[in-house]
């Protein structure tokens, strides 16, 4: 029978006192030298040490459990986002509880209320809408530490950790224009989320009247196929589109498959870029150029804010730099 590692075993292997090991494992290594923290963490990994959550709850009043509410698990980007958060929480010896808001503010509010009145120590929320999600988040922030993630809601009363959408759109346009593409359209869903609105506004700011926007009712591959049919109708004439910026990967997937079936060459006739860099993009034909979110860095920051002082979670938006991943769909790359 395997022997379960104890805290005293971790301390002995790391060459530190039990009290020092306890502070590091509990995530409160104040006044502990960085090299000692590293030794304790390495020893815990080698021994497979797991925190006794029941004991910790009795000792500290915390459970090591964090919650996350996302708009929809049907969107692969939100699954990727959850994976980044889960890696970060597991690294602390904690557990992440996931909830799906079904793209509905009313369901989102119920899920938030259930989690914050349950056993989570804190909550990460990806707001469904800018206008309607703030009230539930604000109310929950009076009960538990709350951090908004990827998006922000108006009057939410707490910090948001997001990506710089304006910089991301500028990266895509600069890339396409650098390849000689000038007749560019944006394919985007409804603008009820902060990320959607910011991307649409950034596109309009850069291209003005020369840029076209194809608005869709949802962020799905079916909506992307509808956008593809719209693009096909705009293919005639001297001002025919030669590039499309899609505001989400799932939209780009639907659009590219529609163009391929219609015999329109991507990127030969129309260059296409996506947004979110989910793993499926590399196996499509052609592989899609996309914007990659710095999800690991954002997850680190969000969890640190949850564990920090309340003053650190004052309402504001913290923006992280995006990364452009170039593949064949834009006419350059692998």
């Amino acid at each position: 029978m395997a022997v379960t590692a104890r805290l005293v075993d971790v301390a002995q292997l790391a060459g530190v006192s039990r009290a020092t090991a306890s502070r590091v494992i509990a995530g409160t290594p104040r006044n502990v030298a960085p090299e000692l923290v590293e030794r304790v963490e390495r020893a815990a990994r080698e021994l497979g040490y797991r925190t006794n959550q029941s004991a910790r709850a009795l000792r500290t009043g915390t459970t090591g459990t964090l919650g996350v509410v996302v708009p929809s698990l049907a969107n692969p980007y939100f699954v990727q986002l959850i994976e980044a958060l889960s890696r970060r929480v597991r690294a602390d010896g904690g557990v992440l509880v996931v909830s799906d808001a079904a793209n509905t503010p009313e369901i989102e509010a119920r899920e938030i209320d259930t989690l914050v009145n349950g056993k989570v120590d804190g909550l990460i929320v990806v707001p469904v809408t800018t206008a309607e999600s703030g009230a539930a988040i604000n109310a929950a922030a009076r009960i538990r530490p709350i951090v908004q993630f990827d998006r922000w809601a108006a009057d939410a009363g707490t910090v948001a950790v997001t990506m710089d959408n304006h910089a991301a759109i500028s990266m895509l346009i600069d890339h396409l224009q650098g390849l000689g593409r000038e007749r560019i359209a944006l394919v985007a869903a409804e603008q009820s989320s902060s990320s959607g609105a910011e991307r649409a506004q950034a596109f309009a700011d850069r291209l003005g009247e020369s840029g076209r926007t194809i608005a869709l009712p949802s962020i799905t591959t079916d909506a992307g196929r509808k956008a593809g049919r719209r693009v096909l109708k705009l293919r005639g004439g001297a001002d025919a589109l030669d590039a499309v910026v899609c505001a989400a990967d799932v939209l780009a997937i639907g659009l590219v498959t529609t163009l391929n079936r219609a015999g329109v060459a991507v990127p030969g006739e129309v260059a296409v870029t996506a947004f979110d860099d989910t793993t499926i993009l590399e196996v499509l034909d052609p592989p899609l150029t996309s914007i990659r979110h710095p999800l690991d860095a954002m997850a680190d920051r969000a969890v640190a804010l949850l564990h920090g002082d309340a003053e650190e979670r004052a309402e504001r938006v913290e923006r992280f730099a995006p990364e452009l991943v170039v593949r064949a769909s834009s006419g350059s790359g692998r």
Side-chain angles (χ1 to χ4, degrees):
M1 178 182 289
V3 178
T4 302
R6 302 167 300 168
L7 183 61
V8 68
D9 300 321
V10 174
Q12 185 175 3
L13 181 59
V16 301
S17 69
R18 190 181 186 282
T20 295
S22 178
R23 288 200 298 274
V24 174
I25 295 298
T28 56
R30 294 180 181 177
N31 302 319
V32 179
E35 61 269 22
L36 296 183
V37 173
E38 184 178 348
R39 276 160 49 183
V40 171
E41 291 175 343
R42 183 168 60 248
R45 288 194 297 271
E46 290 179 10
L47 293 171
Y49 176 79
R50 294 185 178 182
T51 302
N52 185 321
Q53 300 292 353
S54 296
R56 177 160 81 175
L58 290 171
R59 184 177 67 253
T60 67
T62 64
T63 65
T65 302
L66 297 179
V68 59
V69 181
V70 297
S72 172
L73 288 171
N75 186 331
Y77 167 65
F78 292 126
V79 176
Q80 193 162 291
L81 177 155
I82 289 166
E83 289 175 347
L85 288 168
S86 184
R87 283 192 298 271
R88 178 62 181 83
V89 173
R90 283 199 307 269
D92 287 344
V95 175
L96 185 69
V97 177
V98 178
S99 184
D100 182 342
N103 281 317
T104 306
E106 292 78 16
I107 295 176
E108 175 185 55
R110 289 201 299 271
E111 297 298 315
I112 290 172
D113 183 68
T114 297
L115 287 171
V116 298
N117 286 293
K119 295 183 178 181
V120 299
D121 297 333
L123 185 62
I124 295 167
V125 179
V126 183
V128 171
T129 76
T130 306
E132 298 178 73
S133 296
I137 295 171
N138 198 318
R142 300 179 191 136
I143 303 171
R144 294 279 189 273
I146 308 289
V147 171
Q148 299 176 86
F149 197 82
D150 186 68
R151 302 174 175 183
W152 54 268
D155 302 317
T158 191
V159 65
V161 176
T162 74
M163 190 185 68
D164 189 336
N165 287 293
H166 285 79
I169 291 294
S170 287
M171 279 182 170
L172 292 170
I173 293 173
D174 288 344
H175 173 65
L176 291 169
Q177 290 181 336
L179 295 170
R181 309 285 178 154
E182 293 294 339
R183 298 181 300 279
I184 305 171
L186 173 71
V187 168
E190 41 72 31
Q191 308 307 319
S192 64
S193 73
S194 64
S195 56
E198 288 176 351
R199 292 168 199 176
Q201 187 61 54
F203 185 83
D205 290 345
R206 272 296 303 269
L207 295 183
E209 294 182 359
S210 68
R212 300 178 184 178
T213 297
I214 298 174
L216 301 163
S218 62
I219 304 176
T220 61
T221 52
D222 184 59
R225 286 189 287 270
K226 291 177 182 176
R229 292 191 288 271
R230 297 264 300 273
V231 170
L232 291 173
K233 292 180 180 179
L234 295 171
R235 288 290 300 139
D239 62 345
L241 297 176
D242 60 10
V244 178
V245 172
C246 294
D249 284 353
V250 291
L251 297 174
I253 293 167
L255 183 140
V256 168
T257 55
T258 299
L259 296 183
N260 283 342
R261 289 169 182 165
V264 174
V266 176
E269 296 177 69
V270 180
V272 177
T273 66
F275 205 113
D276 292 331
D277 199 43
T278 49
T279 53
I280 193 173
L281 300 188
E282 294 187 15
V283 300
L284 293 175
D285 185 19
L288 296 182
T289 292
S290 192
I291 288 292
R292 179 176 295 166
H293 299 243
L295 287 175
D296 287 331
M298 290 167 60
D300 286 347
R301 179 59 175 159
V303 173
L305 285 165
L306 284 177
H307 291 319
D309 295 332
E311 293 76 17
E312 297 179 45
R313 293 188 296 276
E315 186 167 8
R316 66 189 184 282
V317 178
E318 294 190 4
R319 303 184 191 278
F320 282 65
E323 177 186 355
L324 176 65
V325 181
V326 177
R327 299 190 180 95
S329 70
S330 57
S332 177
R334 67 184 189 279

